[in-house]
Amino acid sequence: MANLTLIFAEGAAPTAFGMDATVWVSIAMLVFLGILIWKGVPGAIGAMLDKRIAEISKQLNEAEALRLDAESLKAEYEAKLATATKEADDMRTRAEAEAEAVIAKAKADATALIGRRKQMAEDRIAAAEAGALAEVRAATAKAATAAAAALIAEKHDANADKALVDQAIASVTKG
């Protein structure tokens, strides 16, 4: 070992069969590469890489198919959303029209009801007026009858009544 340290210390590289370490490393590398080629390692690596490329290509194709499916689903749902929005707008428009019709009908019904109630009130007032007028006439006739009876009783006595009866009999016999 002392010899090796002495050799390295002097700067000379060890040699075997007249070749230095660089040549031996190169030869070992060539032998290793030759064995790898002889055993078919590059083909196996290539096959493995081809297999991996095929898997990646398959995954890319699947991803593209999924992207296309997602785009078609997105378009389908956008169409459904547009249809639903249109239907909702149509329903809102119909509901507004129906509400306006109901309001108009309610106004017409209220107006008709007010007219009927007004007519009924006017009829009641007319009936009350007619009743009051009939009562006034009856009271007036009663008062007139009582006044006439009182006047007749006061102004006519039995002689006046006899003269009236005689006059009535005379006019009946003449005629």
Side-chain angles (χ1 to χ4, degrees):
M1 184 104 154
N3 289 341
L4 281 178
T5 49
L6 186 62
I7 294 173
F8 285 129
E10 292 177 6
T15 59
F17 301 110
M19 295 185 270
D20 63 357
T22 306
V23 174
W24 282 109
V25 169
S26 299
I27 291 172
M29 194 62 157
L30 287 173
V31 168
F32 177 72
L33 289 175
I35 291 171
L36 288 177
I37 291 172
W38 177 60
K39 289 290 187 179
V41 172
I45 291 172
M48 182 181 71
L49 290 175
D50 288 342
K51 182 179 174 186
R52 183 69 182 141
I53 289 170
E55 287 177 14
I56 291 172
S57 176
K58 180 181 173 187
Q59 289 175 352
L60 287 174
N61 290 339
E62 289 175 357
E64 180 67 20
L66 289 173
R67 185 185 64 79
L68 292 174
D69 288 345
E71 286 178 358
S72 67
L73 284 174
K74 179 184 173 191
E76 180 181 338
Y77 284 118
E78 285 175 349
K80 285 182 180 179
L81 177 63
T83 302
T85 302
K86 184 177 182 269
E87 288 176 1
D89 289 341
D90 291 345
M91 288 173 67
R92 183 179 45 82
T93 303
R94 282 193 307 271
E96 287 174 353
E98 289 175 7
E100 289 175 4
V102 167
I103 289 170
K105 185 178 183 310
K107 284 181 181 178
D109 290 347
T111 304
L113 179 65
I114 290 170
R116 284 192 305 269
R117 293 239 173 127
K118 181 180 177 185
Q119 185 62 44
M120 285 172 39
E122 289 173 356
D123 291 346
R124 283 183 194 158
I125 291 170
E129 285 176 355
L133 187 59
E135 286 178 17
V136 168
R137 284 183 182 161
T140 304
K142 187 175 181 183
T145 305
L151 281 175
I152 291 174
E154 185 181 304
K155 301 261 180 176
H156 292 285
D157 53 1
N159 292 328
D161 285 343
K162 185 176 177 193
L164 280 174
V165 170
D166 289 341
Q167 184 182 11
I169 291 173
S171 66
V172 171
T173 56
K174 285 185 187 178

